[in-house]
Every structure is written in structure tokens, then in C-alpha cells.
Amino acid sequence: MKRVYLDNASTTPIDPKVLGVMLPYLTEKYGNPSSIHYEGRLAKKAIEESRERIAKIVGVKKEGIIFTSGGTESDNLAILGIARANKEKGKHIIVSAIEHKAVLDSCKKLEKEGFEITYLNVDKNGIVSLEFLKKSIRKDTILVSIMYANNEIGTIQPIKEISKIIKESKIANPIFHTDACQAVGALPININDLNVDALTISSSKIYGPKGVGCLYLNKNCKIEPIIFGGGQERGIRSGTENTAYIVGFAEALFISEKKRLSENKRLTKLRDYFIENLIKKIPKIIINGDRIKRLPNNINLSLHGVEGESFILMLDNSGISCSTGSACSSSDLKPSHVISALGGDAELAHSSIRFTLGRYSTKKDINYVVR
Amino acid sequence: MKNKKKICDGENWLYNDIVKDHFFHPRNILIDDTDYEYDGMGISGNAFCGDVMIVWIRVDSKKEKIAECKWRTFGCASAIASTSMMSVMVTEKGGMSIKKAEKLKPENIIKRLGGLPDKKLHCSVLGDKALIQAILDYKNNRP
């Protein structure tokens, strides 16, 4: 049966070119990058070249890139590591209410360690209020973490403006981290533009391998490791580096950056075409999240009277893959915290469906779904 | 759990074939109830939990048996399938007696469905509660 994959925000397939550069490091170039013999040096060289490539795209020095096992670990490391290393300065942290669970659950852990967390509400369009942020900064605020683009509803936060408020604050000088997992490949991630101190990137959403990502960290930021051992990644992230995955990640980022502007344009058109035609077909749908300030690949909607999991299984049966914020499909049986934060009624959260377009999505696919 | 392996086989489905069948081909479902004449009606669940179901019954008052059981559910696949299966159970073989229907438990429905994924056991089988409400409604309004 024909399959239409519209769940690219969950993960993407590996680009064949990416796989090509990875393969040698899974077979003949198997050395441990920490070994000083020939095989080790070969692996080390590949990792450092990858670090250099990524650093160049992010617009930073290569020492600032720390390889991790992906977005979740990078977020955990940023939140836990920065908070714990800076607790002498204060114990207050600000995050948005619609962060990924990798950030929110790290915050829950920190609350148990005596930290105080402010969860910034978003407006009904899913955007953080700058006024509210300004008011939330306190003398003991050490860290602010606000995602660049949301994974469920695709709303884009005004990172530059947020950064400006933080940097110009006379009350405190907190470190600013942003989770850019969903933004990479769609939005600019150059640090000189964004002006953030820490940035999370994952490989699995940009046609690279799963299980690898990085955290960019400004050299002035103090951080504590959350994984201990051999002292790799300047002691911030121990564990033998996964050379093949790191090489693949760098290649994937390079390709997605190269295609970013053209893909952005193409997908924005495709997204709007999709939404327009859906509304024509089913006038009762509600689009969740800002219509303009949203990722070019994200369509999130609720349909009154149709529960998310049921809808997804129906679509899956017709060959269409997408996802839901319904409790029935989550492991904790709670409805999406993101859709709930938009302030609609509970049924809407259970009814939310997310379609996310990707590099291989076509107008033909969309026509198939709408029909 | 005899069916566990089958149920959790991710490559196939989260749900087994019986559940799938009742989800894709719900029995006794009533989409538009405006002209439906019933003897009893009951609702269970709430929108916050994600499952709401409504059950209508017609009763053969002479035999004190359920003659018809119609329903509509807002919920996940297991909620839909379990209500569908329940409607079959109470109407098959000439209809279940009111007495027996009052004692119907989620476990009985789950068993007939060939099992459900573990996390669905407690949240999605609410049809029996709506049925009890419908029976109560019938008893209260009995001429």
C-alpha cells in the first residue's frame, strides 16, 4: 500500500549521502578516537573535522561544540549541568510551559534539588510573552531556556528579542539556552544572529542518524557533566564517541543548511496549500498555534468530536503517518501539555493531530491525504 | 497474559485483530440519535480523560431482556472497540437479561476482545458504566 509519511518532526529517514559518509566508520575505520595509534587517530581526525563543520554552520569556535547522544541528552546536560554548576549564583530558572519534556522533566528534577522554576505561559497562539519574561527575571535567575520552535505546534519563539531582554537585563545575567531541534534545517541557527549562550541540535530530525546530537556552549558558561567516565568532550561528556554517527550528523547538518532556504520556501507553500484544502474539506477544524510564526513543515489541528488516537489509527490504515497530542497515545495518559497550554478545552487537546512535512513530501502526497 | 506478545507486536498493531475489527467496523453504533426512541440512556467518562461514551438501550419489558443497545463514543480505538463489543454481548442470543447486564464487568468485555494493551485496561473500558446508567434510567422511567 502507498504510504505517506507526514511525521517528520518525530524523525526523518537518513539521507543516502549521509549514510555514504558514515559507512566507512562502521567498518574499516573502527578505531577508538581516544587511542593514540593510527586507527585511533583516524577516528579522532574524523570527529574533529565534523566538529569544525558543525561549528562553522553554527558560527562558533569548534571548542564550543559538545557531542551527545541527541536532543534529549543535550537538553538534560544544558539544564542540569548549567544549573548545578552555577547554583552559587542563584537557584532560579525560567523556562516556557511548552518546552520539550527533556527540558521540563530536567526542571522537575532540579525542583527536588532546591531550585525554583518559573514556567512562562504562552498566549493562545503558542508564543511566549516578552513582557512576562521581563517581569520574571530575578536577582537569582541563573538560566533561561526557551525553545526556538515547538515540536508539536511548530510555533517559533522570538529568540533574538528574548536574548536582547536577557542580555540587557540589569537585574541578573542568566545563561540563555535554546532547544533548536525542530528549528534546524528550517530557520537560521547562526549564534551571531540568535545571540544565545547554549544551543541544542539533534541529528535525527535533519535526515541524519538517530542517537547523536550536540550542545553548543559558550566558553564562558560554567557547566557540570551529567555522564562520568573517560573525560571525552573536554570532560563534559564522557563515553567513547560514536564516530560514524558524528560524521553522519555533520554531513546531515551541512546538507540541510544548504537546502534550508529553498526547502523553507517550498514547504511553506505546501503547508499553506494543505491547510487551505483541509479547511475547504472540513470547515470545522481548528488550527493549533500561530498561523504565521510557525515552522514551514508543521500543521497541527484539532477536530471536535474526533479523538486523536482513533484518528491516527484510521489514517494509518489508509497509509498516512502522523501523530497526536491525545493522552491515549502517550505513555503517561495525559493530554498534550502544549495544546493544553494554549488554553482551549480538554477535548481539543485529545483531538489534536500533527502532520509534519519533510524533504520528501510532495503535493501529490497532500492531495492524497486531503482526499 | 496469553495475548501479550500478539498485542505488543509493534510492527503489526498495538491492538489485536478483534479490537481492530470492532474499531474499523463498529457494531450498533448510532451517529444521529435525534429520532431514536429508547427506553434508557446513560453517559460515562469525561472529556478531560479523553473518553466519553453514551449508550441507549431498548428493553423487552416482558422478558426483562435488552433488545437493542446503541452507542456513540468519543475516545481512542480501545474505547470504541470495547463499547462495540459490549453492545454485541448484551444483544446476542436473544438479548442479555437486565439482571445479568447489570453485573457486566470490564474484564468480561476485555476477555471477549482477546485482551487490550496494559495501559488501556483501566481507562478505556467505560461502556459498562454507561450501560448501568442506561439501565437505571430505564428502571426510573418504567411505566
Side-chain angles (χ1 to χ4, degrees):
Chain A
M1 188 216 274
K2 178 185 165 73
R3 299 279 326 167
V4 176
Y5 183 78
L6 294 179
D7 200 14
N8 289 282
S10 291
T11 194
T12 46
I14 288 195
D15 184 306
K17 265 196 208 151
V18 170
L19 183 63
V21 300
M22 288 170 66
L23 285 175
Y25 295 96
L26 290 165
T27 49
E28 70 259 34
K29 300 180 184 175
Y30 51 80
N32 184 325
S34 295
S35 308
I36 55 172
H37 48 58
Y38 174 74
E39 288 80 1
R41 293 198 306 272
L42 210 61
K44 180 84 180 168
K45 187 165 164 262
I47 288 175
E48 292 315 315
E49 278 171 6
S50 301
R51 198 188 307 278
E52 185 88 54
R53 290 182 89 185
I54 293 170
K56 212 173 151 194
I57 292 168
V58 181
V60 296
K61 290 213 173 89
K62 80 184 186 75
E63 289 71 29
I65 302 292
I66 303 149
F67 288 117
T68 67
S69 69
T72 293
E73 192 195 323
S74 292
D75 281 349
N76 284 194
L77 175 61
I79 303 297
L80 299 172
I82 292 172
R84 287 170 183 162
N86 291 279
K87 62 171 184 258
E88 271 76 43
K89 285 188 209 152
K91 293 188 111 178
H92 179 241
I93 296 165
I94 302 170
V95 298
S96 87
I98 61 168
E99 290 302 304
H100 191 274
K101 285 281 172 76
V103 168
L104 291 180
D105 284 2
S106 298
C107 288
K108 294 245 165 68
K109 171 85 181 139
L110 287 175
E111 278 175 340
K112 286 189 194 131
E113 293 176 20
F115 287 86
E116 209 184 311
I117 321 283
T118 297
Y119 299 93
L120 290 180
N121 270 327
V122 291
D123 62 17
K124 65 180 192 335
N125 289 331
I127 309 285
V128 166
S129 144
L130 297 176
E131 258 330 284
F132 202 53
L133 166 71
K134 216 183 255 178
K135 280 184 203 145
S136 302
I137 299 176
R138 312 192 317 208
K139 234 162 66 184
D140 58 341
T141 307
I142 51 167
L143 173 65
V144 178
S145 181
I146 293 170
M147 68 199 330
Y148 195 172
N150 183 267
N151 48 310
E152 282 188 46
I153 52 176
T155 52
I156 300 164
Q157 304 300 338
I159 295 298
K160 277 190 226 175
E161 283 86 345
I162 292 170
S163 167
K164 195 159 178 266
I165 287 170
I166 294 169
K167 304 293 169 197
E168 286 175 0
S169 170
K170 291 188 178 71
I171 300 162
N173 186 24
I175 292 165
F176 180 28
H177 165 255
T178 188
D179 175 349
C181 285
Q182 296 290 338
V184 180
L187 307 174
I189 49 161
N190 197 294
I191 291 296
N192 302 314
D193 264 353
L194 295 177
N195 206 11
V196 299
D197 305 302
L199 178 87
T200 290
I201 306 177
S202 159
S203 153
S204 80
K205 309 198 191 282
I206 52 169
Y207 309 85
K210 297 168 184 55
V212 63
C214 73
L215 177 70
Y216 156 71
L217 193 67
N218 182 304
K219 67 177 186 328
N220 299 323
C221 294
K222 277 211 294 187
I223 193 162
E224 257 183 31
I226 54 170
I227 291 176
F228 303 90
Q232 288 88 346
E233 299 296 297
R234 295 189 291 121
I236 297 171
R237 205 283 186 179
S238 284
T240 300
E241 299 90 336
N242 193 336
T243 313
Y245 279 32
I246 287 171
V247 169
F249 170 31
E251 179 71 12
L253 184 63
F254 180 77
I255 297 172
S256 76
E257 212 26 48
K258 211 168 69 183
K259 289 182 187 276
R260 180 164 61 81
L261 292 177
S262 61
E263 273 297 277
N264 195 322
K265 222 166 138 185
R266 185 182 75 89
L267 290 177
T268 303
K269 251 180 157 169
L270 201 58
R271 176 197 70 193
D272 293 342
Y273 173 79
F274 190 14
I275 293 178
E276 250 170 60
N277 282 283
L278 272 178
I279 292 176
K280 252 186 241 163
K281 192 108 182 175
I282 319 164
K284 275 201 312 193
I285 58 168
I286 295 160
I287 303 292
N288 296 311
D290 199 286
R291 280 289 291 272
I292 312 290
K293 291 176 212 151
R294 80 187 294 136
L295 288 174
N297 75 336
N298 178 293
I299 297 107
N300 190 307
L301 54 94
S302 289
L303 188 53
H304 260 301
V306 183
E307 194 275 335
E309 190 207 80
S310 291
F311 201 3
I312 284 195
L313 294 181
M314 289 284 189
L315 289 170
D316 187 35
N317 206 42
S318 318
I320 300 160
S321 308
C322 60
S323 76
T324 173
S326 161
C328 289
S329 71
S330 67
S331 48
D332 59 1
L333 294 174
K334 283 187 189 139
S336 156
H337 67 284
V338 177
I339 312 288
S340 302
L342 301 180
D345 62 35
E347 194 194 305
L348 285 184
H350 286 289
S351 302
S352 74
I353 304 281
R354 180 189 71 178
F355 298 96
T356 40
L357 313 173
R359 200 180 285 166
Y360 307 112
S361 306
T362 61
K363 199 163 170 179
K364 219 168 135 191
D365 293 340
I366 302 309
N367 288 335
Y368 179 77
V369 177
V370 173
R371 208 183 59 226
Chain B
M1 287 284 285
K2 229 166 112 188
N3 288 308
K4 195 158 186 180
K5 202 169 167 218
K6 198 173 150 199
I7 294 162
C8 297
D9 187 350
E11 203 181 308
N12 290 319
W13 267 66
L14 187 61
Y15 298 113
N16 69 35
D17 288 341
I18 308 172
V19 179
K20 261 195 304 190
D21 181 40
H22 274 265
F23 171 61
F24 285 115
H25 312 286
R27 326 293 203 262
N28 302 314
I29 192 165
L30 186 65
I31 303 291
D32 182 7
D33 59 285
T34 31
D35 294 324
Y36 186 70
E37 280 177 32
Y38 56 85
D39 298 320
M41 187 260 276
I43 298 175
S44 66
N46 67 63
F48 187 76
C49 299
D51 291 303
V52 184
M53 46 201 78
I54 176 161
V55 168
W56 298 273
I57 52 168
R58 274 160 105 159
V59 181
D60 178 341
S61 54
K62 274 187 205 139
K63 295 185 193 157
E64 279 289 292
K65 278 183 172 182
I66 293 176
E68 234 176 62
C69 176
K70 299 278 184 190
W71 57 275
R72 190 165 69 230
T73 288
F74 170 86
C76 59
S78 60
I80 290 169
S82 64
T83 321
S84 169
M85 179 56 93
M86 182 193 78
S87 73
V88 169
M89 290 168 75
V90 299
T91 51
E92 66 191 354
K93 295 172 200 154
M96 193 181 269
S97 71
I98 291 289
K99 233 179 188 168
K100 224 175 140 193
E102 282 174 322
K103 288 187 195 131
L104 191 68
K105 292 275 170 300
E107 294 79 41
N108 308 126
I109 302 169
I110 293 164
K111 205 172 161 197
R112 274 289 292 271
L113 284 171
L116 283 174
D118 287 353
K119 66 171 187 177
K120 300 279 185 179
L121 290 179
H122 299 289
C123 61
S124 63
V125 185
L126 297 165
D128 58 306
K129 280 131 205 124
L131 179 68
I132 286 175
Q133 293 301 318
I135 293 173
L136 258 171
D137 185 40
Y138 157 71
K139 284 183 171 170
N140 290 339
N141 294 315
R142 208 165 11 191

